[in-house]
Amino acid sequence: MGLFSKKHKRADTIVVPAVGQGPSPIAVPSGDSIEGRTFEIGSEMLRRARGHKTGILSARFYSDALMEWSMKDHEFKVQMFRFVDAFPMLRTPEAVFEHLSDYLSQPGVTVPPVIAAALKAGAIAKGMAAKTISGQITGMAGKFIAGTDAASALPGLKEMWDGGIAFSVDLLGETCLSDEEADGYAKKYLDLINNLPKSVASWKSQPTLENDHLGPIPRTNVSVKISALSARCDPIDTEGSINDLMKRMLPILETARDRGVFVNFDMEHFGLKDFTLELFQRCVEKIDFQAGLAMQAYLRSGPADAVKMCEWAARRGKLITVRLVKGAYWDAETIKSEMHGWPSPVWPRKWMTDRCFEQMAAIFLDACPTAPAARGRGDIATGGPRPSGVKLALGSHNVRSIAAVVAGLERRNLPLNAIELQMLHGMADQLKFAAAEMGLRIREYVPVGEMIPGMAYLVRRLLENTSNESWLKAGFMDNADAGTLLKVPGAGVPDAPLPPEQADRHMLTPAVEGVGDGKPFYTEPMRDFADGAQRAAFAAAVQRATVPKVANDRTPEQAGRLVASAEMAFQTWRDANPRLRSGVLTRAADLMRDQRDGLAGVMIKEAGKTWREADADVCEAIDFCDYYARLAVPMFERERMGKFIGELDEQWYQARGVAVVIAPWNFPLAILCGMTAAALVTGNTVVMKPAEQTPGIASVLNDIFQQALKEHDAPPGVLQFCPSPGETTGAALVRDARIALIAFTGSKAVGLNILEAAGRTPEAQPFVKRVICEMGGKNALIIDQSADLDEAVMAARQSAFGFQGQKCSACSRLIVVDPDGPRAAAISAFTRRFVEATKALVLGDPAKPGTDIGPVIDIEAKNTIAGFIEKGRRECTLELAMPVPAGLEAALGRSFVGPHIFSGVKSEHVIAREEIFGPVVAIMHASSFEEALRIANGSVYKLTGGVFTRKPAHIEKAKREFRVGNLYINRGITGALVGRQPFGGFGMSGVGSKAGGKDYLYQFVEPRASCENTLRRGFAPEL
Amino acid sequence: MGLFSKKHKRADTIVVPAVGQGPSPIAVPSGDSIEGRTFEIGSEMLRRARGHKTGILSARFYSDALMEWSMKDHEFKVQMFRFVDAFPMLRTPEAVFEHLSDYLSQPGVTVPPVIAAALKAGAIAKGMAAKTISGQITGMAGKFIAGTDAASALPGLKEMWDGGIAFSVDLLGETCLSDEEADGYAKKYLDLINNLPKSVASWKSQPTLENDHLGPIPRTNVSVKISALSARCDPIDTEGSINDLMKRMLPILETARDRGVFVNFDMEHFGLKDFTLELFQRCVEKIDFQAGLAMQAYLRSGPADAVKMCEWAARRGKLITVRLVKGAYWDAETIKSEMHGWPSPVWPRKWMTDRCFEQMAAIFLDACPTAPAARGRGDIATGGPRPSGVKLALGSHNVRSIAAVVAGLERRNLPLNAIELQMLHGMADQLKFAAAEMGLRIREYVPVGEMIPGMAYLVRRLLENTSNESWLKAGFMDNADAGTLLKVPGAGVPDAPLPPEQADRHMLTPAVEGVGDGKPFYTEPMRDFADGAQRAAFAAAVQRATVPKVANDRTPEQAGRLVASAEMAFQTWRDANPRLRSGVLTRAADLMRDQRDGLAGVMIKEAGKTWREADADVCEAIDFCDYYARLAVPMFERERMGKFIGELDEQWYQARGVAVVIAPWNFPLAILCGMTAAALVTGNTVVMKPAEQTPGIASVLNDIFQQALKEHDAPPGVLQFCPSPGETTGAALVRDARIALIAFTGSKAVGLNILEAAGRTPEAQPFVKRVICEMGGKNALIIDQSADLDEAVMAARQSAFGFQGQKCSACSRLIVVDPDGPRAAAISAFTRRFVEATKALVLGDPAKPGTDIGPVIDIEAKNTIAGFIEKGRRECTLELAMPVPAGLEAALGRSFVGPHIFSGVKSEHVIAREEIFGPVVAIMHASSFEEALRIANGSVYKLTGGVFTRKPAHIEKAKREFRVGNLYINRGITGALVGRQPFGGFGMSGVGSKAGGKDYLYQFVEPRASCENTLRRGFAPEL
């Protein structure tokens, strides 16, 4: 059947026209200005490229039926490409067919009739359809990926070479999650660098490709992704990461130096940019290899980085090559910065990137040596002195960009071979031929690798080529005129208004005039530890931080007096202007913002949080204040119901009374702050009882609230600090007949005890107590067959072991779907990667940025966790028991438990049922997604849960049937953000409240209503 | 000081120009058409009227400073007239000043500088200001009210007579609330009719005034308000009310017949229209007096009623006079019909009323006899036969209306004295003079009475004269041209679009497509018992109704099996389409609507509800279904938070599990239905345990729900009916570990027991129970010094004794503010009126429409109430103990308790503290409004409360400080409507839920949230 193919034949091999050996001068009419030259050069290149009518890959690419449909219907394209992404994980034709039909039946997708017919067909047709689409995708991948490894790609590379095009080999790979994987990638690079030179040595001479204006250049050119060479590639611990990376990088570079191989450092996401620059410079300073580095013009920092790089090369006397690219992660960078509330690192408009490309090119051309071996320096062959500076390689398919640089060359009297043009394998061949004809040196960027890692690369290419902003699409599919295609970047582009600020765009709360900045709430951005300045400030603050010494010594009698004071203050506080109360919260938020890193430092030292965990805790505390401040004000404004003339119906809320807040130690700032802020802003007065393990940070919070209260002239006594033992004083507070409201977060046992105590209403108590109760979790993460394992393993590791698993949201059950059985390939592969990835975690002092796993909260916790581990050992298979480094406990005076992973866990096993609150995770097997849901739902806890899947129907099913308070799809299951993921569960996890959600504050108030008859003598003002 | 007065002098007496004795023919140019004649006559009248430049009241009225400001600023006018309304209740200059400054400091009021200065001045100035405004108001009242009684008005009446104007005396009075008051008014009318003829007999002869075209007419003309003559003037019991009225009316009419006095029946609000017409006809048929009746052209029913009246007169051979008026209660009728959801009885536009006036006048003119004593009938003096038909009197100040009727006269060849013109005392004197000059007979409608009742009349006149739709204002203040003033009603008026329907206008809920009629919720209109058809249908349904026999015999074991069935059904029901669940509710509502009166009949017979109480109960049940059906659907739709690209944050809700609904007997349909509907529509399954006293209506409700469920293919077992004893089966249900949710309404004792039981979470129970608990009340109504006593007494009586006081919202404490002490004038006056008004209530069979007080629920209730009465007798003063009519209990086999009123009650007395749940009310004294609030807030119950006051600051203070769940201002404190007055209290009254409010359903569900990472390979669909 003709599914997914069109009738005309496709050529099976790339037809590369012969190109002359030496550089042929570009023949264009001379122009007055550089802009004129740019147009001349560009027009010529365009004309030549368009002349290549046959055997041109791009044209064929677009004429493919699948691509044609994708270009026509955006929704079809989205779903089809998402299917393509998931495709390599699908092991059977049934799975392929199911996923395909699932994706294409998503809302809004218009399915071409021929596909629709196939989707409706019977079993045999389904098998054929699956086969056809599989072939189609494999074929498409084959256009862009030269082979599964260098050996299989070699014939293609030689053919290219013979046709006048050089190469740079790129090894496609999955995310590097473990030392094992990093070692594997290092080995592959070493193999390549060791063996490729031998293979290409016999190829015919191609002078254009083997020389630039400064002399010979290597035939073998390898592109390296640094993130593949370490599982700890995290700028938060730049030194540690560089050390780990160097272990594998140095042998590679030494070999490259010895074998005369050019090594290019690819540039990945912005978070690694500074790190990569730093690493590159250190490597170049250390080893005298032929070094290249990719730099991205879509970064706002592009020109500044370019200048710095040129200055560094000059200062150090190094000659490097910069591959200047536009940048391939614009969407991801834009999205990530928005999600974090960070400034976007990339230009908001495509033309700005194009402009930046030309600016950066000019900087690099200015730094380009004009002559070889100046002042007696030798050349590469002799190893003698070389000129220093930057050679430019252009990684672009945009003729305007290329032409502008060529014009820049001329202006600087640099020869054409001072630059080279790098283009992607499988794309824009007509451009390559045209440029080669015009005498430019062309190098293809040639990825090799397996299907699974290849799909990411494939999808990126597919999206790129179908984007409406694609120059190639404009030039060769839409056939725009030269004037449009070659114009100055941004020329004639109207000034589009900027999008509204994030707070306004997302409207997570209403904006309340006079509260905070008068804008809607927006989550406090966490620290960007890729930024050296933020890193340094944080480190200094952590070092300075001291934990206040606070005794948990308040007796029940003292607590009773605190309640009395809070009761005294209640009426005034309840009747205060709601904006004043909200002002106290936003002021407290500001005070916390002012000392963010210091607060984190206290928690790092008191609770053993790692940097990011502590920073997130502070952000959440700030968020609770800013969020509740905005939600509270409207609650106290009378809301009119209906518009009856003569009848004024209104509803509003009032505070309940004196609240006691009983908080846990695991979010010693955020949760304490959130419950207290909610009670205060709604007009209740509060007795704040922190966890016995973390009174220090609580006392800092108390100071902050007291200052904010004082600055707002709140009545004295509104907030009472009561560090005390829970069993005596806490229990007494809960039972105090003057306490109207108990906000508790903690264990199930204590929570149920509080609920029972509060259920009793003694004669002297003129109200029913309200209990807001959040308890434990036994949270499951389901990994199904189509899951993106790179992401699933990372998310599982973070969810299970972040803050040593001491979160009520922590993942403690990993349910892996494998229809082939509990020891079959899928679950085994996941388990292996997960175990290996976990081994990469670092146990240590949480004050150090490189530490992933700090101490557990205290020795009791350690013993309890150890008890569970012991039970697990008896019932299940222990896959990993990470040891605690010798001497660590003694050195820090804290208790440590290393991550533990069990497999073969069944629902009836203790470690699958009970909350452990430590770094222990149970891997469970399910034969189907449905069984996985049943297992997940089997717990009495209903807090968080997660699913990794790329099957749309499974996502929908999980939303319907995975019954937890907070469900996470294709991400980790901890780290709920205020206003975005209202947090809380039901069942044994709590009473169904949602901290950081729009309903939360209603639990702290009582509703009131009034009905006023505004008629007088039969007349009402409104009529 | 010149406060409130302008500099020019005002004439102290009315200057009435002498008018010729006989009718002078109207001298206007003849026209072709009746419209032409109308214009000619109108122009002449307008010209003459405008010629009267001196001594013209209306002009002076408008030139008054206060009026001038009122015309300029709408808000000032509203507040000033509201102050005027409250003014007579203010006993001290301080009170006057305080109220004035309070009203004028309301938001939006622009106060003229001279008043602003006085409001800011010191104590002496304040006293003067109070004196000035008092004088001003008294003066203004004097313009419209001729005297405090007939005797004091007599000199004025004679002066008018001498000047050529006749009169009809109207006795202003407060609302008649008791037999005592009705007797008092009857006596006044009798005095008037007995004595006025003697006084006027000596006046000079005025032939124009003493004859019409059929012969002589009486000098003495009295207008009677029928509602003054009975405290039971309620069309719901038309026969009973007519009987009560006739007792007082017949002697009056007999005397009038004997003294030759003309008696006019005034027309009051629409609710009494049919009743008044019926009464009038019966009176005329019974007694041969000179009879007149006012009829209103603003009623849509006007023309039809006019025809009926003419036909009746012809059929019965009666000659009556109809005073055709436009109608004075347009605002009140419009507002009332909207509040009740009834069709408006009045024309929506003023010009329609004007058009209707001319139409009705034509009908009456057609029925007007053309000659006296036709076919040998005698005239009035001889008592011989008279012609039958209708004589027309025009009660209008609109020259166009008058001229059109005069033209109609000519067309029918009726003489000018076949009609008479009636105008209000104190208004439009220039028109009276002009009309008299043109030969028309003029009669003034002359109110006499005291200040307090007079204010209602005064305010009506003030508003009328300052209205933008006033013809007088247009004619004599704005000086519009004759063409405008005399045009055909509605001519040139653009067709204004109709306002949106009530449901859409009030938006009490969102409109949900596919739910009910797809419109927002609107409260079900109660029966309009003024409508004979509705009355008859209701009576028939009550008679037919039988109470199903249901045994409360389900054992705990049986109940356990019902829970098991409900649990079986839960998952399917929870996961059903929310629109289907809402469909079940709207269908149930429709089924109830179909058998409304029958349902009421069952409650009347089972629970002893009176007609209106039973009808309201059914409406509320319907409302709960229709309201919750619309609120529920959006709760189950995922709501997105923020608009993050690559991050899809959503929140929604799910059902909790099996609910048990435990309902009380006092709203045996509405509350049971409301709690059940809420649980069902949110996807919970329900075990419904009705009160042991009212299983019959509960079983009818169960049948309705089962039918609606079945029609929607709901899974079997969703709703389980469990009539059973509370102490055994109810208690077991509450403790059942499978019950997730308890919705309870009932006593404090049971409620607290349930809360305590539900607070315990046994090991087998995988959730925390949720309890929605509404308990009792000890509700206070505060009457302050400026209260409108007519309204306060009526509202207090209804709130205290409606359904025998067996409502949790019932008023059981009346707190009366009297600064002069607990036995001073204000509290004594209130107490007396309240006691007397209560005596007017009828104890009896609730199946009869005239019954106000039915039986209490059972003998246990009677005994409990008797115990409280006994305690009250020991501690306080018993003001009223209404006896139960002999034989009533035996005849009906039910227990009765008559209303009891205690005075001198202190906060510490038992009857001021404990919920009695019977017709017993405690009157308590407070020296100030603040003290009243303290007393009111002193109860542990926080359910309903009310305030009667006309001081704006007190209204605001009550909203702030009267801490109850439902506060009512200037109305009764029972009868909360779904969606308009969300109902429920806190303290010992409940857990702070609001039945019929927007938050209510959230208690029946648990929140869920999800966060989906929609990024794949760095790309998200949205970007």
Side-chain angles (χ1 to χ4, degrees), chain B residues 48-262:
Chain B
R48 285 175 183 263
R50 283 179 171 167
H52 287 272
K53 288 289 180 202
T54 56
I56 293 168
L57 244 187
S58 294
R60 227 174 53 206
F61 171 82
Y62 287 119
S63 68
D64 185 285
L66 216 49
M67 285 304 108
E68 201 176 290
W69 288 322
S70 297
M71 306 286 288
K72 277 185 192 152
D73 184 49
H74 179 75
E75 285 302 320
F76 177 86
K77 176 173 109 176
V78 165
Q79 298 302 331
M80 178 53 76
F81 290 1
R82 288 168 89 94
F83 164 72
V84 167
D85 173 44
F87 169 75
M89 290 295 286
L90 308 176
R91 290 159 188 247
T92 63
E94 292 74 28
V96 169
F97 184 83
E98 265 179 29
H99 277 74
L100 179 66
S101 58
D102 195 351
Y103 273 104
L104 296 186
S105 60
Q106 291 306 298
V109 177
T110 310
V111 179
V114 57
I115 301 187
L119 293 179
K120 284 189 203 118
I124 297 167
K126 283 179 184 176
M128 285 180 62
K131 204 175 152 191
T132 309
I133 190 73
S134 300
Q136 192 105 356
I137 292 172
T138 313
M140 205 134 54
K143 292 176 191 168
F144 298 106
I145 302 169
T148 51
D149 54 20
S152 64
L154 211 51
L157 296 180
K158 180 167 188 301
E159 199 173 344
M160 276 166 48
W161 181 265
D162 291 343
I165 293 179
F167 67 85
S168 179
V169 173
D170 163 55
L171 295 182
L172 295 173
E174 293 172 280
T175 306
C176 173
L177 299 176
S178 62
D179 292 350
E180 185 183 53
E181 289 174 2
D183 291 342
Y185 287 120
K187 185 171 175 300
K188 281 191 185 173
Y189 282 121
L190 270 176
D191 282 353
L192 203 63
I193 290 168
N194 264 319
N195 298 320
L196 209 52
K198 282 178 270 180
S199 307
V200 304
S202 59
W203 292 357
K204 73 170 179 188
S205 169
Q206 287 280 32
T208 307
L209 303 182
E210 296 183 82
N211 293 282
D212 62 19
H213 70 305
L214 301 180
I217 55 176
R219 284 189 174 183
T220 305
N221 185 312
V222 173
S223 290
V224 174
K225 280 200 177 52
I226 65 157
S227 69
L229 295 172
S230 171
R232 277 189 287 283
C233 195
D234 185 345
I236 196 174
D237 179 25
T238 296
E239 286 310 312
S241 294
I242 286 182
N243 287 344
D244 191 62
L245 249 166
M246 284 292 199
K247 284 193 303 195
R248 301 186 186 85
M249 185 61 96
L250 292 185
I252 291 169
L253 298 182
E254 284 160 358
T255 308
R257 177 196 60 201
D258 297 346
R259 295 273 185 274
V261 171
F262 185 95

Side-chain angles (χ1 to χ4, degrees), chain B residues 789-851:
Chain B
L789 285 195
D790 284 0
E791 295 190 348
V793 169
M794 293 249 279
R797 186 178 71 175
Q798 171 59 24
S799 302
F801 304 124
F803 191 38
Q804 295 78 265
Q806 301 172 119
K807 302 180 187 178
C808 45
S809 56
C811 170
S812 64
R813 296 182 292 157
L814 276 168
I815 306 172
V816 184
V817 178
D818 193 333
D820 300 330
R823 282 179 202 85
I827 187 168
S828 300
F830 173 81
T831 302
R832 185 185 170 90
R833 280 198 87 187
F834 180 61
V835 167
E836 290 301 324
T838 302
K839 286 182 187 164
L841 297 176
V842 175
L843 272 76
D845 181 355
K848 292 184 182 163
T851 297

Side-chain angles (χ1 to χ4, degrees), chain B residues 301-503:
Chain B
S301 66
D305 286 336
V307 168
K308 274 189 270 181
M309 190 52 69
C310 295
E311 287 172 352
W312 165 82
R315 194 167 63 246
R316 297 290 185 159
K318 300 293 178 188
L319 180 63
I320 61 163
T321 300
V322 166
R323 178 199 299 152
L324 182 62
V325 299
K326 301 280 172 80
Y329 309 94
W330 188 89
D331 291 65
E333 297 294 0
T334 301
I335 293 166
K336 186 181 173 191
S337 61
E338 156 135 336
M339 278 186 185
H340 285 83
W342 292 341
S344 173
V346 294
W347 299 109
R349 304 269 178 270
K350 179 74 170 70
W351 66 262
M352 295 174 181
T353 296
D354 292 341
R355 182 183 58 187
C356 186
F357 186 91
E358 296 182 19
Q359 290 168 343
M360 289 174 75
I363 293 165
F364 292 127
L365 287 183
D366 287 341
C368 184
T370 49
R375 288 186 297 281
R377 288 185 187 180
D379 69 6
I380 184 167
T382 63
R386 289 179 298 178
S388 69
V390 176
K391 294 192 287 186
L392 181 61
L394 299 180
S396 174
H397 303 130
N398 181 323
V399 172
R400 154 78 206 187
S401 301
I402 297 164
V405 176
V406 172
L409 273 183
E410 292 178 357
R411 192 191 178 106
R412 289 172 182 79
N413 292 318
L414 283 164
L416 208 50
N417 67 352
I419 61 168
E420 77 177 27
L421 211 50
Q422 300 192 351
M423 292 189 186
L424 297 176
H425 179 69
M427 280 181 67
D429 286 342
Q430 55 283 65
L431 268 188
K432 293 171 191 159
F433 305 148
E437 283 167 14
M438 290 167 74
L440 281 157
R441 181 169 72 255
I442 312 292
R443 185 181 308 279
E444 274 197 8
Y445 183 85
V446 184
V448 299
E450 300 285 347
M451 273 291 266
I452 292 178
M455 283 303 119
Y457 181 83
L458 174 63
V459 168
R460 203 148 56 232
R461 294 293 84 79
L462 293 177
L463 284 163
E464 203 171 292
N465 281 301
T466 54
S467 160
N468 283 329
E469 294 198 321
S470 161
W471 192 95
L472 283 184
K473 180 166 170 282
F476 297 97
M477 186 170 163
D478 305 339
N479 285 311
D481 64 88
T484 304
L485 290 167
L486 301 175
K487 70 177 180 196
V488 177
V493 177
D495 242 13
L498 290 172
E501 275 189 43
Q502 292 188 322

Side-chain angles (χ1 to χ4, degrees), chain A residues 993-1008:
Chain A
S993 65
K994 283 284 193 189
K998 67 187 163 65
D999 303 341
Y1000 190 69
L1001 294 184
Y1002 291 97
Q1003 305 173 105
F1004 292 78
V1005 292
E1006 291 159 331
R1008 284 173 64 192

Side-chain angles (χ1 to χ4, degrees), chain B residues 522-565:
Chain B
Y522 192 76
T523 38
E524 179 74 8
M526 294 182 203
R527 290 291 185 229
D528 180 2
F529 290 113
D531 174 353
Q534 294 187 45
R535 213 156 57 219
F538 194 89
V542 170
Q543 206 179 7
R544 275 196 309 272
T546 55
V547 181
K549 296 209 184 314
V550 178
N552 294 306
D553 60 357
R554 304 299 188 280
T555 63
E557 292 69 34
Q558 288 174 316
R561 285 195 289 276
L562 300 183
V563 173
S565 300

